[in-house]
Each structure stands twice: as structure tokens, then as C-alpha cells.
Amino acid sequence: MRILLCGGAGYIGCHTYTVLVERGHQVVIADNFANSSPQVLARLEQVTGKPVPFHPLDMRDRPGVDAFFARQTFDAVVHFAALKAVGESCERPLDYFENNISGTIYLLQAMRAAGVPRLVFSSSATVYGEPESVPVREDAPLRVTNPYGRTKLVMEELIGDVCRADPHFRAANLRYFNPVGAHASGLLGEDPSDTPSNLMPYICQVAVGRREKLRIFGGDYPTPDGTGVRDYIHVMDLARAHADALDYLVNEDRNLTVNLGTGRGISVMELVHAFAKASSREVPYEIVDRRPGDAAEVYADPALAQRLLGWRAELDVDAMCRDAWRWQSMNPYGYAAGRVEEDRVEEAVSLV
Ligand code: NAD
Ligand code: UFG
């Protein structure tokens, strides 16, 4: 298939690129680098051994999106392009609605006009808010607790409406739990532009010496060790699920909404210990107050993804920590540090 990855230069998009190329697809990346770096494209060329087809595109630029689709043919789009910081979304809700929701509307309109028949959408466990019970199944009540979450829910709903209006259009909503880890090469990984708000990148930066200590938000949750429990999933397992979802849309010709998690809850403390073991580094920490809005325990029931896609997570928490550490120790300051010259980036890319 010829597949467009909107937001494909980001953390999950670039890992998915490697899997799709490995499976023999022709893959094109479109991104505006709002939260990523062109350096990723040079790394992708290194990993895959081929120039990376790339188109600079801002999803908010409706004429630009239309013009691109008018001259390109795709069998499917995977839509990663979104702003994703929960805290920032509370400060700048309109920017989130514009970027995530308007961008998705323009994308869907251009896809419809160009007759692109399939969409895989990056949704999130955030659509469950604070779940009533765990493990969380796809039919659990949806209730969001912040503007970022609201954009994900609205986007799922508007994609559903488009599917109902056009019985030939196919879409997959993939509800990711907590993606972590990195590509086994150590060349690709998560590279937050600001102070990390997520646990794993924060631990990585503490272990590599960029930050003094981790603050563990809450030690008094009703969980086995008192710290919050989440379903961390290796980004390469997640990447593989996108390829499987694309196959499902083609072969089964049905729409799809599935959780992507391991089904195993891991506490903050367990992750800290697993990381210390994998990296042979200390991860100093202190337990502080709970972070407002955090649930005690969120983990997936991934049975539906297994049944429909034949997919299940294979990499355990030790692999997640080992690969995250390989990435962080090889790139202590992320993509910026091992910077290749701009003309090298240009050589790594074939503009589409
Ligand atoms: P990321 O920020 O690393 O990647 C998103 C990419 O989209 C970036 O390269 C960014 O530059 C690009 N982008 C944003 N707005 C754009 C626009 N208007 N036009 C073009 N490109 C644009 O994030 P990620 O972690 O790779 O997440 C990918 C998707 O998965 C997002 O939709 C996110 O909401 C969703 N998701 C992420 C997580 C997570 O914890 N990482 C969890 C659940 C869902
Ligand atoms: N945590 C800490 N210290 C930190 C960061 C996090 O103790 O410095 C704890 C949190 O309290 C939580 C756990 O680590 O118990 C995981 O926190 P993350 O911020 O890594 O992940 P969340 O589950 O809170 O949020 C993630 C995504 C959101 C998404 C949500 C549900 O970041 O975008 O999953 O899918 F909405």
C-alpha cells in the first residue's frame, strides 16, 4: 500500500514508519515539526537504508492539505498529527481544538475528495477519563477530563460520523495506553522538547544526569505499593499494531476501535526499579503530593485487539526500560545532540 503518515516525524509515527517500510509498504511522512525535528528523517534513512519520502505540511493549512491530496494517491492515511500535552491543553484549549480537530476535519475532507478510503487514527486511553473499573474494555463509559482528551473524543466521534455517512470509508480508532521504549537501534526514541511531563522520559533524563531526581506523584493510592498504576506499552509493539490495523481495514473491510495495551498494570515504583536494573543507574526519587487529575489505576483489556487483529504486546517492562535507556544513553540530549548537517537531512529526504 501507499500510506501517508500525518505527524510521522513524531515519537510514535517514526517507529511506525520503520515497521511499515519493513512490511514492504511505500510510506510518506507529512509533518510541520511542531513537536519534532527534521533530524528524525535523517535517522529514519539510517535505519531503513532508503531516502525518506517527506512532504512539509501543516494540517491547519486547508488549501495546502487539499493541494497535496489533489496530486498524490494514497491507499490509507495514519493520522498521528496532534498536540498532546494535557497541561498545555488546559492553558490553550483553542489551540488544541484548532490543531487537533480542525486539522482532522481538513484531512478527512481532502481524503474524501481524493477518494482515499482508509484512516487509522491515534486515539488514547484518555477517552476513558478516570475509569470505574480495570481492566478497561472498549465499551467502558467515555468521559474526558481535559481539553486534550476532549479533542480525541470529538475526533473519534467525527470519524464515526464520516464512516456512517459513507459505508465504503473505513477507519480504525487505536486507543493507546502509555507508549514507552524506543527502536532497538538506539537511533529513534522519545525526545520531549520541554521538561517531560510523562514518567518514562523523566526517569530517562534523571538516569542520564539531566535532572536531579524524579518526583513520584502520590504514594497513598489504593494500589499494592501506593503509587499510580498504568499500562506501559513498548512503542514497537504499538507500531506493529498500526500495520495490523491497516491489514484489517483492507482484508476484513470493517471499522475498528481497539485498546492497545499489554493488559498488565505497572506501578510507578515498579517502573523505577525496572529502569534502575536495566540501566545499572540510580534513579533518585522523592514521593510528593498526587498530581491533580491522575487516576489511581488504568490498564487495558487488550482482548479485542487480540481477537480482531491477532495482535498482542510481546515486549515486557524490562525490554521497555532497556530500549528507552539505550536511546537515552546514546542520545543524552535527544536528536539535537547528534545533529547532522542540514544538507545531510536534505540528502536523506526525497521531497514528495
Ligand atoms: P508527537 O508529538 O511526538 O508526534 C506528533 C507529530 O505530529 C509531531 O511530529 C508534530 O510535529 C506533528 N504535528 C502536530 N500538529 C501538526 C500539524 N498541525 N500539522 C502537521 N504535523 C503536526 O506525539 P506522539 O507521542 O508520537 O503521539 C502521536 C499521536 O498519538 C498523537 O495524536 C497523540 O495524541 C497520540 N497519543 C499519544 C500518546 C503518548 O503518550 N505518546 C498516548 C495516546 C495517544
Ligand atoms: N508520574 C510521576 N512523576 C512524573 C510523571 C508521572 O509520578 O514526573 C506518574 C503519574 O502520576 C502516573 C504515572 O506516572 O501515575 C504515569 O504518568 P504519565 O504522565 O506518564 O502518563 P498518564 O497516564 O498520566 O498520561 C498518559 C498520556 C496522556 C493520556 C493518558 C491516558 O500522557 O496524554 O496517558 O492515555 F491522556
Side-chain angles (χ1 to χ4, degrees), residues 1-3 69 73-77 107-108 110-120 159 162-163 166-172 246 249-250 253-255:
M1 280 193 272
R2 189 160 193 268
I3 302 165
F69 276 88
T73 314
F74 296 106
D75 300 297
V77 172
L107 171 66
L108 286 164
M111 287 176 69
R112 306 305 305 126
V116 181
R118 297 172 197 97
L119 176 73
V120 173
I159 290 165
V162 171
C163 290
D166 178 353
H168 300 295
F169 186 72
R170 293 281 166 264
L246 284 160
L249 296 184
V250 173
D253 199 18
R254 297 170 73 114
N255 300 316

PDB file of all heavy atoms in Angstrom, residues 1-3 69 73-77 107-108 110-120 159 162-163 166-172 246 249-250 253-255:
ATOM      1  N   MET A   1       0.839  -1.196   0.000  1.00  0.00           N
ATOM      2  CA  MET A   1       0.000   0.000   0.000  1.00  0.00           C
ATOM      3  C   MET A   1       0.875   1.248   0.000  1.00  0.00           C
ATOM      4  O   MET A   1       2.001   1.228   0.497  1.00  0.00           O
ATOM      5  CB  MET A   1      -0.874   0.018   1.254  1.00  0.00           C
ATOM      6  CG  MET A   1      -2.090  -0.869   1.156  1.00  0.00           C
ATOM      7  SD  MET A   1      -3.243  -0.510   2.499  1.00  0.00           S
ATOM      8  CE  MET A   1      -2.612  -1.595   3.767  1.00  0.00           C
ATOM      9  N   ARG A   2       0.337   2.316  -0.509  1.00  0.00           N
ATOM     10  CA  ARG A   2       0.992   3.628  -0.373  1.00  0.00           C
ATOM     11  C   ARG A   2       0.289   4.356   0.777  1.00  0.00           C
ATOM     12  O   ARG A   2      -0.924   4.608   0.712  1.00  0.00           O
ATOM     13  CB  ARG A   2       0.887   4.403  -1.686  1.00  0.00           C
ATOM     14  CG  ARG A   2       1.733   5.660  -1.690  1.00  0.00           C
ATOM     15  CD  ARG A   2       2.020   6.138  -3.116  1.00  0.00           C
ATOM     16  NE  ARG A   2       3.073   7.137  -3.105  1.00  0.00           N
ATOM     17  CZ  ARG A   2       2.861   8.453  -3.023  1.00  0.00           C
ATOM     18  NH1 ARG A   2       1.627   8.913  -3.012  1.00  0.00           N
ATOM     19  NH2 ARG A   2       3.870   9.289  -2.988  1.00  0.00           N
ATOM     20  N   ILE A   3       1.049   4.638   1.813  1.00  0.00           N
ATOM     21  CA  ILE A   3       0.451   5.093   3.069  1.00  0.00           C
ATOM     22  C   ILE A   3       1.055   6.436   3.483  1.00  0.00           C
ATOM     23  O   ILE A   3       2.281   6.600   3.486  1.00  0.00           O
ATOM     24  CB  ILE A   3       0.725   4.058   4.195  1.00  0.00           C
ATOM     25  CG1 ILE A   3       0.167   2.686   3.790  1.00  0.00           C
ATOM     26  CG2 ILE A   3       0.128   4.511   5.515  1.00  0.00           C
ATOM     27  CD1 ILE A   3       0.689   1.539   4.634  1.00  0.00           C
ATOM     28  N   PHE A  69      -3.307  16.419  -1.433  1.00  0.00           N
ATOM     29  CA  PHE A  69      -4.114  15.235  -1.771  1.00  0.00           C
ATOM     30  C   PHE A  69      -4.566  15.245  -3.230  1.00  0.00           C
ATOM     31  O   PHE A  69      -4.802  14.198  -3.818  1.00  0.00           O
ATOM     32  CB  PHE A  69      -5.309  15.110  -0.823  1.00  0.00           C
ATOM     33  CG  PHE A  69      -4.961  14.414   0.460  1.00  0.00           C
ATOM     34  CD1 PHE A  69      -4.472  15.123   1.544  1.00  0.00           C
ATOM     35  CD2 PHE A  69      -5.091  13.041   0.587  1.00  0.00           C
ATOM     36  CE1 PHE A  69      -4.123  14.485   2.723  1.00  0.00           C
ATOM     37  CE2 PHE A  69      -4.747  12.389   1.758  1.00  0.00           C
ATOM     38  CZ  PHE A  69      -4.263  13.114   2.838  1.00  0.00           C
ATOM     39  N   THR A  73      -1.670  10.037  -4.621  1.00  0.00           N
ATOM     40  CA  THR A  73      -2.623   8.946  -4.414  1.00  0.00           C
ATOM     41  C   THR A  73      -2.158   8.107  -3.226  1.00  0.00           C
ATOM     42  O   THR A  73      -0.989   7.721  -3.168  1.00  0.00           O
ATOM     43  CB  THR A  73      -2.653   8.022  -5.661  1.00  0.00           C
ATOM     44  OG1 THR A  73      -2.729   8.857  -6.796  1.00  0.00           O
ATOM     45  CG2 THR A  73      -3.826   7.080  -5.618  1.00  0.00           C
ATOM     46  N   PHE A  74      -3.073   7.876  -2.300  1.00  0.00           N
ATOM     47  CA  PHE A  74      -2.756   7.024  -1.153  1.00  0.00           C
ATOM     48  C   PHE A  74      -3.839   5.966  -0.979  1.00  0.00           C
ATOM     49  O   PHE A  74      -5.008   6.206  -1.273  1.00  0.00           O
ATOM     50  CB  PHE A  74      -2.666   7.855   0.134  1.00  0.00           C
ATOM     51  CG  PHE A  74      -1.558   8.866   0.121  1.00  0.00           C
ATOM     52  CD1 PHE A  74      -1.842  10.215  -0.037  1.00  0.00           C
ATOM     53  CD2 PHE A  74      -0.234   8.472   0.237  1.00  0.00           C
ATOM     54  CE1 PHE A  74      -0.819  11.152  -0.064  1.00  0.00           C
ATOM     55  CE2 PHE A  74       0.790   9.406   0.206  1.00  0.00           C
ATOM     56  CZ  PHE A  74       0.501  10.744   0.050  1.00  0.00           C
ATOM     57  N   ASP A  75      -3.415   4.805  -0.465  1.00  0.00           N
ATOM     58  CA  ASP A  75      -4.389   3.765  -0.117  1.00  0.00           C
ATOM     59  C   ASP A  75      -4.893   3.948   1.307  1.00  0.00           C
ATOM     60  O   ASP A  75      -5.952   3.429   1.660  1.00  0.00           O
ATOM     61  CB  ASP A  75      -3.730   2.384  -0.251  1.00  0.00           C
ATOM     62  CG  ASP A  75      -3.251   2.148  -1.680  1.00  0.00           C
ATOM     63  OD1 ASP A  75      -4.107   2.127  -2.577  1.00  0.00           O
ATOM     64  OD2 ASP A  75      -2.025   2.035  -1.889  1.00  0.00           O
ATOM     65  N   ALA A  76      -4.111   4.648   2.109  1.00  0.00           N
ATOM     66  CA  ALA A  76      -4.515   4.845   3.516  1.00  0.00           C
ATOM     67  C   ALA A  76      -3.717   5.985   4.126  1.00  0.00           C
ATOM     68  O   ALA A  76      -2.616   6.309   3.666  1.00  0.00           O
ATOM     69  CB  ALA A  76      -4.248   3.560   4.311  1.00  0.00           C
ATOM     70  N   VAL A  77      -4.303   6.557   5.190  1.00  0.00           N
ATOM     71  CA  VAL A  77      -3.607   7.577   5.997  1.00  0.00           C
ATOM     72  C   VAL A  77      -3.571   7.092   7.445  1.00  0.00           C
ATOM     73  O   VAL A  77      -4.564   6.560   7.953  1.00  0.00           O
ATOM     74  CB  VAL A  77      -4.357   8.928   5.937  1.00  0.00           C
ATOM     75  CG1 VAL A  77      -3.764   9.931   6.926  1.00  0.00           C
ATOM     76  CG2 VAL A  77      -4.335   9.507   4.524  1.00  0.00           C
ATOM     77  N   LEU A 107      -8.219  17.126   6.963  1.00  0.00           N
ATOM     78  CA  LEU A 107      -7.666  15.861   6.457  1.00  0.00           C
ATOM     79  C   LEU A 107      -8.780  14.987   5.881  1.00  0.00           C
ATOM     80  O   LEU A 107      -8.681  14.483   4.759  1.00  0.00           O
ATOM     81  CB  LEU A 107      -6.941  15.115   7.592  1.00  0.00           C
ATOM     82  CG  LEU A 107      -6.498  13.689   7.264  1.00  0.00           C
ATOM     83  CD1 LEU A 107      -5.419  13.681   6.181  1.00  0.00           C
ATOM     84  CD2 LEU A 107      -5.972  12.981   8.521  1.00  0.00           C
ATOM     85  N   LEU A 108      -9.865  14.836   6.648  1.00  0.00           N
ATOM     86  CA  LEU A 108     -10.966  13.975   6.186  1.00  0.00           C
ATOM     87  C   LEU A 108     -11.592  14.533   4.912  1.00  0.00           C
ATOM     88  O   LEU A 108     -11.922  13.770   3.984  1.00  0.00           O
ATOM     89  CB  LEU A 108     -12.025  13.836   7.290  1.00  0.00           C
ATOM     90  CG  LEU A 108     -11.617  12.920   8.449  1.00  0.00           C
ATOM     91  CD1 LEU A 108     -12.515  13.149   9.654  1.00  0.00           C
ATOM     92  CD2 LEU A 108     -11.669  11.454   8.023  1.00  0.00           C
ATOM     93  N   ALA A 110     -10.128  16.342   2.607  1.00  0.00           N
ATOM     94  CA  ALA A 110      -9.217  16.111   1.475  1.00  0.00           C
ATOM     95  C   ALA A 110      -9.199  14.630   1.100  1.00  0.00           C
ATOM     96  O   ALA A 110      -9.165  14.281  -0.086  1.00  0.00           O
ATOM     97  CB  ALA A 110      -7.815  16.580   1.853  1.00  0.00           C
ATOM     98  N   MET A 111      -9.247  13.758   2.105  1.00  0.00           N
ATOM     99  CA  MET A 111      -9.269  12.310   1.806  1.00  0.00           C
ATOM    100  C   MET A 111     -10.522  11.939   1.036  1.00  0.00           C
ATOM    101  O   MET A 111     -10.474  11.155   0.087  1.00  0.00           O
ATOM    102  CB  MET A 111      -9.220  11.502   3.116  1.00  0.00           C
ATOM    103  CG  MET A 111      -7.869  11.510   3.800  1.00  0.00           C
ATOM    104  SD  MET A 111      -7.924  10.643   5.386  1.00  0.00           S
ATOM    105  CE  MET A 111      -8.144   8.931   4.857  1.00  0.00           C
ATOM    106  N   ARG A 112     -11.657  12.501   1.448  1.00  0.00           N
ATOM    107  CA  ARG A 112     -12.921  12.190   0.766  1.00  0.00           C
ATOM    108  C   ARG A 112     -12.863  12.668  -0.680  1.00  0.00           C
ATOM    109  O   ARG A 112     -13.241  11.974  -1.595  1.00  0.00           O
ATOM    110  CB  ARG A 112     -14.118  12.850   1.473  1.00  0.00           C
ATOM    111  CG  ARG A 112     -14.286  12.562   2.953  1.00  0.00           C
ATOM    112  CD  ARG A 112     -14.353  11.084   3.284  1.00  0.00           C
ATOM    113  NE  ARG A 112     -15.391  10.402   2.546  1.00  0.00           N
ATOM    114  CZ  ARG A 112     -15.178   9.319   1.801  1.00  0.00           C
ATOM    115  NH1 ARG A 112     -13.979   8.809   1.660  1.00  0.00           N
ATOM    116  NH2 ARG A 112     -16.181   8.756   1.175  1.00  0.00           N
ATOM    117  N   ALA A 113     -12.357  13.909  -0.864  1.00  0.00           N
ATOM    118  CA  ALA A 113     -12.304  14.481  -2.217  1.00  0.00           C
ATOM    119  C   ALA A 113     -11.376  13.658  -3.112  1.00  0.00           C
ATOM    120  O   ALA A 113     -11.651  13.486  -4.306  1.00  0.00           O
ATOM    121  CB  ALA A 113     -11.829  15.933  -2.147  1.00  0.00           C
ATOM    122  N   ALA A 114     -10.286  13.139  -2.524  1.00  0.00           N
ATOM    123  CA  ALA A 114      -9.316  12.401  -3.338  1.00  0.00           C
ATOM    124  C   ALA A 114      -9.647  10.906  -3.402  1.00  0.00           C
ATOM    125  O   ALA A 114      -8.947  10.148  -4.060  1.00  0.00           O
ATOM    126  CB  ALA A 114      -7.915  12.604  -2.757  1.00  0.00           C
ATOM    127  N   GLY A 115     -10.680  10.489  -2.673  1.00  0.00           N
ATOM    128  CA  GLY A 115     -11.078   9.073  -2.700  1.00  0.00           C
ATOM    129  C   GLY A 115     -10.118   8.169  -1.939  1.00  0.00           C
ATOM    130  O   GLY A 115      -9.987   6.986  -2.268  1.00  0.00           O
ATOM    131  N   VAL A 116      -9.440   8.706  -0.907  1.00  0.00           N
ATOM    132  CA  VAL A 116      -8.579   7.833  -0.080  1.00  0.00           C
ATOM    133  C   VAL A 116      -9.501   7.089   0.888  1.00  0.00           C
ATOM    134  O   VAL A 116     -10.209   7.719   1.683  1.00  0.00           O
ATOM    135  CB  VAL A 116      -7.526   8.654   0.704  1.00  0.00           C
ATOM    136  CG1 VAL A 116      -6.638   7.736   1.530  1.00  0.00           C
ATOM    137  CG2 VAL A 116      -6.687   9.499  -0.255  1.00  0.00           C
ATOM    138  N   PRO A 117      -9.509   5.756   0.848  1.00  0.00           N
ATOM    139  CA  PRO A 117     -10.594   5.019   1.504  1.00  0.00           C
ATOM    140  C   PRO A 117     -10.365   4.596   2.950  1.00  0.00           C
ATOM    141  O   PRO A 117     -11.272   4.039   3.565  1.00  0.00           O
ATOM    142  CB  PRO A 117     -10.724   3.768   0.623  1.00  0.00           C
ATOM    143  CG  PRO A 117      -9.344   3.537   0.080  1.00  0.00           C
ATOM    144  CD  PRO A 117      -8.663   4.880   0.009  1.00  0.00           C
ATOM    145  N   ARG A 118      -9.158   4.822   3.515  1.00  0.00           N
ATOM    146  CA  ARG A 118      -8.889   4.249   4.847  1.00  0.00           C
ATOM    147  C   ARG A 118      -8.117   5.202   5.742  1.00  0.00           C
ATOM    148  O   ARG A 118      -7.175   5.845   5.283  1.00  0.00           O
ATOM    149  CB  ARG A 118      -8.028   2.977   4.722  1.00  0.00           C
ATOM    150  CG  ARG A 118      -8.666   1.887   3.977  1.00  0.00           C
ATOM    151  CD  ARG A 118      -7.733   0.724   3.701  1.00  0.00           C
ATOM    152  NE  ARG A 118      -8.344  -0.050   2.636  1.00  0.00           N
ATOM    153  CZ  ARG A 118      -8.036   0.058   1.347  1.00  0.00           C
ATOM    154  NH1 ARG A 118      -7.066   0.862   0.951  1.00  0.00           N
ATOM    155  NH2 ARG A 118      -8.685  -0.659   0.455  1.00  0.00           N
ATOM    156  N   LEU A 119      -8.506   5.187   7.024  1.00  0.00           N
ATOM    157  CA  LEU A 119      -7.830   6.032   8.017  1.00  0.00           C
ATOM    158  C   LEU A 119      -7.542   5.224   9.278  1.00  0.00           C
ATOM    159  O   LEU A 119      -8.429   4.525   9.787  1.00  0.00           O
ATOM    160  CB  LEU A 119      -8.743   7.211   8.398  1.00  0.00           C
ATOM    161  CG  LEU A 119      -8.215   8.123   9.500  1.00  0.00           C
ATOM    162  CD1 LEU A 119      -7.064   8.989   8.991  1.00  0.00           C
ATOM    163  CD2 LEU A 119      -9.329   9.029  10.035  1.00  0.00           C
ATOM    164  N   VAL A 120      -6.335   5.341   9.765  1.00  0.00           N
ATOM    165  CA  VAL A 120      -6.016   4.814  11.097  1.00  0.00           C
ATOM    166  C   VAL A 120      -5.744   6.020  11.981  1.00  0.00           C
ATOM    167  O   VAL A 120      -4.915   6.875  11.642  1.00  0.00           O
ATOM    168  CB  VAL A 120      -4.793   3.870  11.058  1.00  0.00           C
ATOM    169  CG1 VAL A 120      -4.370   3.473  12.466  1.00  0.00           C
ATOM    170  CG2 VAL A 120      -5.127   2.624  10.230  1.00  0.00           C
ATOM    171  N   ILE A 159     -15.012  10.967  13.132  1.00  0.00           N
ATOM    172  CA  ILE A 159     -14.600   9.887  12.215  1.00  0.00           C
ATOM    173  C   ILE A 159     -15.742   8.865  12.109  1.00  0.00           C
ATOM    174  O   ILE A 159     -16.065   8.382  11.027  1.00  0.00           O
ATOM    175  CB  ILE A 159     -13.291   9.231  12.707  1.00  0.00           C
ATOM    176  CG1 ILE A 159     -12.133  10.221  12.524  1.00  0.00           C
ATOM    177  CG2 ILE A 159     -13.007   7.919  11.964  1.00  0.00           C
ATOM    178  CD1 ILE A 159     -10.866   9.849  13.303  1.00  0.00           C
ATOM    179  N   VAL A 162     -18.359  10.186   9.775  1.00  0.00           N
ATOM    180  CA  VAL A 162     -17.938  10.073   8.369  1.00  0.00           C
ATOM    181  C   VAL A 162     -18.131   8.631   7.888  1.00  0.00           C
ATOM    182  O   VAL A 162     -18.602   8.394   6.775  1.00  0.00           O
ATOM    183  CB  VAL A 162     -16.465  10.539   8.196  1.00  0.00           C
ATOM    184  CG1 VAL A 162     -15.941  10.230   6.800  1.00  0.00           C
ATOM    185  CG2 VAL A 162     -16.349  12.033   8.487  1.00  0.00           C
ATOM    186  N   CYS A 163     -17.806   7.671   8.737  1.00  0.00           N
ATOM    187  CA  CYS A 163     -17.989   6.254   8.364  1.00  0.00           C
ATOM    188  C   CYS A 163     -19.470   5.945   8.151  1.00  0.00           C
ATOM    189  O   CYS A 163     -19.833   5.202   7.237  1.00  0.00           O
ATOM    190  CB  CYS A 163     -17.440   5.330   9.446  1.00  0.00           C
ATOM    191  SG  CYS A 163     -15.644   5.363   9.553  1.00  0.00           S
ATOM    192  N   ASP A 166     -20.599   7.410   4.809  1.00  0.00           N
ATOM    193  CA  ASP A 166     -20.058   6.745   3.621  1.00  0.00           C
ATOM    194  C   ASP A 166     -19.719   5.304   3.978  1.00  0.00           C
ATOM    195  O   ASP A 166     -18.678   5.023   4.569  1.00  0.00           O
ATOM    196  CB  ASP A 166     -18.793   7.470   3.140  1.00  0.00           C
ATOM    197  CG  ASP A 166     -18.182   6.768   1.928  1.00  0.00           C
ATOM    198  OD1 ASP A 166     -18.667   5.668   1.567  1.00  0.00           O
ATOM    199  OD2 ASP A 166     -17.224   7.312   1.360  1.00  0.00           O
ATOM    200  N   PRO A 167     -20.598   4.377   3.624  1.00  0.00           N
ATOM    201  CA  PRO A 167     -20.381   2.992   4.028  1.00  0.00           C
ATOM    202  C   PRO A 167     -19.126   2.360   3.415  1.00  0.00           C
ATOM    203  O   PRO A 167     -18.736   1.264   3.825  1.00  0.00           O
ATOM    204  CB  PRO A 167     -21.646   2.266   3.548  1.00  0.00           C
ATOM    205  CG  PRO A 167     -22.396   3.214   2.700  1.00  0.00           C
ATOM    206  CD  PRO A 167     -21.844   4.590   2.871  1.00  0.00           C
ATOM    207  N   HIS A 168     -18.472   3.044   2.475  1.00  0.00           N
ATOM    208  CA  HIS A 168     -17.249   2.463   1.898  1.00  0.00           C
ATOM    209  C   HIS A 168     -15.985   2.966   2.584  1.00  0.00           C
ATOM    210  O   HIS A 168     -14.903   2.453   2.333  1.00  0.00           O
ATOM    211  CB  HIS A 168     -17.166   2.767   0.398  1.00  0.00           C
ATOM    212  CG  HIS A 168     -18.329   2.205  -0.346  1.00  0.00           C
ATOM    213  ND1 HIS A 168     -18.555   0.850  -0.449  1.00  0.00           N
ATOM    214  CD2 HIS A 168     -19.357   2.810  -0.985  1.00  0.00           C
ATOM    215  CE1 HIS A 168     -19.662   0.639  -1.118  1.00  0.00           C
ATOM    216  NE2 HIS A 168     -20.183   1.815  -1.445  1.00  0.00           N
ATOM    217  N   PHE A 169     -16.134   4.008   3.416  1.00  0.00           N
ATOM    218  CA  PHE A 169     -14.959   4.567   4.096  1.00  0.00           C
ATOM    219  C   PHE A 169     -14.661   3.721   5.330  1.00  0.00           C
ATOM    220  O   PHE A 169     -15.569   3.362   6.077  1.00  0.00           O
ATOM    221  CB  PHE A 169     -15.241   6.018   4.493  1.00  0.00           C
ATOM    222  CG  PHE A 169     -14.038   6.722   5.062  1.00  0.00           C
ATOM    223  CD1 PHE A 169     -12.984   7.094   4.243  1.00  0.00           C
ATOM    224  CD2 PHE A 169     -13.959   7.015   6.423  1.00  0.00           C
ATOM    225  CE1 PHE A 169     -11.868   7.741   4.760  1.00  0.00           C
ATOM    226  CE2 PHE A 169     -12.847   7.662   6.948  1.00  0.00           C
ATOM    227  CZ  PHE A 169     -11.812   8.023   6.110  1.00  0.00           C
ATOM    228  N   ARG A 170     -13.399   3.393   5.542  1.00  0.00           N
ATOM    229  CA  ARG A 170     -13.010   2.524   6.661  1.00  0.00           C
ATOM    230  C   ARG A 170     -12.064   3.252   7.605  1.00  0.00           C
ATOM    231  O   ARG A 170     -11.125   3.917   7.158  1.00  0.00           O
ATOM    232  CB  ARG A 170     -12.275   1.281   6.124  1.00  0.00           C
ATOM    233  CG  ARG A 170     -13.154   0.366   5.315  1.00  0.00           C
ATOM    234  CD  ARG A 170     -14.018  -0.480   6.257  1.00  0.00           C
ATOM    235  NE  ARG A 170     -15.104  -1.122   5.544  1.00  0.00           N
ATOM    236  CZ  ARG A 170     -16.345  -0.652   5.454  1.00  0.00           C
ATOM    237  NH1 ARG A 170     -16.683   0.476   6.045  1.00  0.00           N
ATOM    238  NH2 ARG A 170     -17.266  -1.313   4.799  1.00  0.00           N
ATOM    239  N   ALA A 171     -12.300   3.094   8.899  1.00  0.00           N
ATOM    240  CA  ALA A 171     -11.439   3.768   9.878  1.00  0.00           C
ATOM    241  C   ALA A 171     -11.178   2.874  11.091  1.00  0.00           C
ATOM    242  O   ALA A 171     -12.033   2.081  11.492  1.00  0.00           O
ATOM    243  CB  ALA A 171     -12.093   5.074  10.338  1.00  0.00           C
ATOM    244  N   ALA A 172      -9.995   3.037  11.652  1.00  0.00           N
ATOM    245  CA  ALA A 172      -9.616   2.329  12.883  1.00  0.00           C
ATOM    246  C   ALA A 172      -9.228   3.362  13.934  1.00  0.00           C
ATOM    247  O   ALA A 172      -8.350   4.191  13.690  1.00  0.00           O
ATOM    248  CB  ALA A 172      -8.436   1.405  12.611  1.00  0.00           C
ATOM    249  N   LEU A 246      -4.091  -1.659   9.563  1.00  0.00           N
ATOM    250  CA  LEU A 246      -4.225  -1.378   8.124  1.00  0.00           C
ATOM    251  C   LEU A 246      -4.624  -2.655   7.379  1.00  0.00           C
ATOM    252  O   LEU A 246      -5.508  -2.636   6.518  1.00  0.00           O
ATOM    253  CB  LEU A 246      -2.909  -0.821   7.576  1.00  0.00           C
ATOM    254  CG  LEU A 246      -2.635   0.644   7.950  1.00  0.00           C
ATOM    255  CD1 LEU A 246      -1.152   0.981   7.806  1.00  0.00           C
ATOM    256  CD2 LEU A 246      -3.470   1.591   7.084  1.00  0.00           C
ATOM    257  N   LEU A 249      -8.311  -3.327   7.954  1.00  0.00           N
ATOM    258  CA  LEU A 249      -9.230  -2.479   7.181  1.00  0.00           C
ATOM    259  C   LEU A 249      -9.335  -2.993   5.741  1.00  0.00           C
ATOM    260  O   LEU A 249     -10.412  -2.961   5.139  1.00  0.00           O
ATOM    261  CB  LEU A 249      -8.754  -1.019   7.189  1.00  0.00           C
ATOM    262  CG  LEU A 249      -8.744  -0.311   8.543  1.00  0.00           C
ATOM    263  CD1 LEU A 249      -8.343   1.147   8.376  1.00  0.00           C
ATOM    264  CD2 LEU A 249     -10.104  -0.394   9.250  1.00  0.00           C
ATOM    265  N   VAL A 250      -8.225  -3.478   5.212  1.00  0.00           N
ATOM    266  CA  VAL A 250      -8.238  -3.981   3.830  1.00  0.00           C
ATOM    267  C   VAL A 250      -8.914  -5.356   3.768  1.00  0.00           C
ATOM    268  O   VAL A 250      -9.838  -5.570   2.993  1.00  0.00           O
ATOM    269  CB  VAL A 250      -6.797  -4.091   3.274  1.00  0.00           C
ATOM    270  CG1 VAL A 250      -6.793  -4.771   1.906  1.00  0.00           C
ATOM    271  CG2 VAL A 250      -6.162  -2.714   3.189  1.00  0.00           C
ATOM    272  N   ASP A 253     -12.428  -5.374   5.843  1.00  0.00           N
ATOM    273  CA  ASP A 253     -13.314  -4.340   5.311  1.00  0.00           C
ATOM    274  C   ASP A 253     -14.358  -3.892   6.343  1.00  0.00           C
ATOM    275  O   ASP A 253     -15.533  -3.743   6.040  1.00  0.00           O
ATOM    276  CB  ASP A 253     -13.987  -4.882   4.032  1.00  0.00           C
ATOM    277  CG  ASP A 253     -14.534  -3.741   3.177  1.00  0.00           C
ATOM    278  OD1 ASP A 253     -14.105  -2.597   3.389  1.00  0.00           O
ATOM    279  OD2 ASP A 253     -15.401  -3.997   2.327  1.00  0.00           O
ATOM    280  N   ARG A 254     -13.914  -3.732   7.585  1.00  0.00           N
ATOM    281  CA  ARG A 254     -14.794  -3.260   8.667  1.00  0.00           C
ATOM    282  C   ARG A 254     -14.081  -2.170   9.455  1.00  0.00           C
ATOM    283  O   ARG A 254     -12.848  -2.121   9.460  1.00  0.00           O
ATOM    284  CB  ARG A 254     -15.089  -4.406   9.634  1.00  0.00           C
ATOM    285  CG  ARG A 254     -15.851  -5.554   9.009  1.00  0.00           C
ATOM    286  CD  ARG A 254     -15.867  -6.696   9.987  1.00  0.00           C
ATOM    287  NE  ARG A 254     -16.771  -6.385  11.075  1.00  0.00           N
ATOM    288  CZ  ARG A 254     -17.894  -7.048  11.302  1.00  0.00           C
ATOM    289  NH1 ARG A 254     -18.239  -8.065  10.545  1.00  0.00           N
ATOM    290  NH2 ARG A 254     -18.671  -6.707  12.292  1.00  0.00           N
ATOM    291  N   ASN A 255     -14.867  -1.363  10.157  1.00  0.00           N
ATOM    292  CA  ASN A 255     -14.278  -0.347  11.021  1.00  0.00           C
ATOM    293  C   ASN A 255     -13.876  -0.977  12.353  1.00  0.00           C
ATOM    294  O   ASN A 255     -14.326  -2.089  12.682  1.00  0.00           O
ATOM    295  CB  ASN A 255     -15.259   0.798  11.236  1.00  0.00           C
ATOM    296  CG  ASN A 255     -15.629   1.440   9.919  1.00  0.00           C
ATOM    297  OD1 ASN A 255     -14.764   1.671   9.085  1.00  0.00           O
ATOM    298  ND2 ASN A 255     -16.912   1.688   9.705  1.00  0.00           N
TER     299      ASN A 255
END
